[in-house]
Amino acid sequence: MKLTREALLEYLQKNMGVDVSRLDDDMPLFSSGLIDSFCLVEMVVFLEEKMGRRFQPEELSLPNVDTIGKILAFCNNSD
């Protein structure tokens, strides 16, 4: 199953309170402080449910989840 940009943005807006109208695919989410590390746990649950798989802790590094583009690439290229 593929994660769409629209589904990810909807999740960030509804569950994290992120103003997605100003968010581009390369804007840092965590390293900028837009969302914090506590949000990562919630987001991982969402991603695992959406993708139908469990991620290993070592997969969930900042380089894989710090931007919309990186999250989409990580989720849609990992099998």
Side-chain angles (χ1 to χ4, degrees):
M1 176 175 265
K2 292 278 187 187
L3 175 65
T4 65
R5 183 178 192 279
E6 293 76 23
L8 181 55
L9 291 177
E10 180 179 340
Y11 173 80
L12 290 171
Q13 183 172 24
K14 284 185 176 180
N15 297 82
M16 306 287 168
V18 174
D19 179 4
V20 297
S21 67
R22 296 182 179 195
L23 196 60
D24 66 42
D25 286 358
D26 297 319
M27 178 179 276
L29 300 172
F30 294 97
S31 63
S32 71
L34 190 60
I35 55 180
D36 63 29
S37 59
F38 292 108
C39 295
L40 178 60
V41 175
E42 292 178 40
M43 188 173 73
V44 168
V45 171
F46 163 76
L47 295 173
E48 288 180 339
E49 289 174 356
K50 201 74 170 160
M51 300 305 299
R53 69 176 289 254
R54 304 255 331 164
F55 295 108
Q56 298 302 310
E58 60 272 9
E59 294 179 283
L60 300 169
S61 63
L62 192 58
N64 288 336
V65 297
D66 197 29
T67 69
I68 297 297
K70 288 177 181 181
I71 294 168
L72 291 171
F74 168 70
C75 287
N76 294 330
N77 293 326
S78 61
D79 293 321

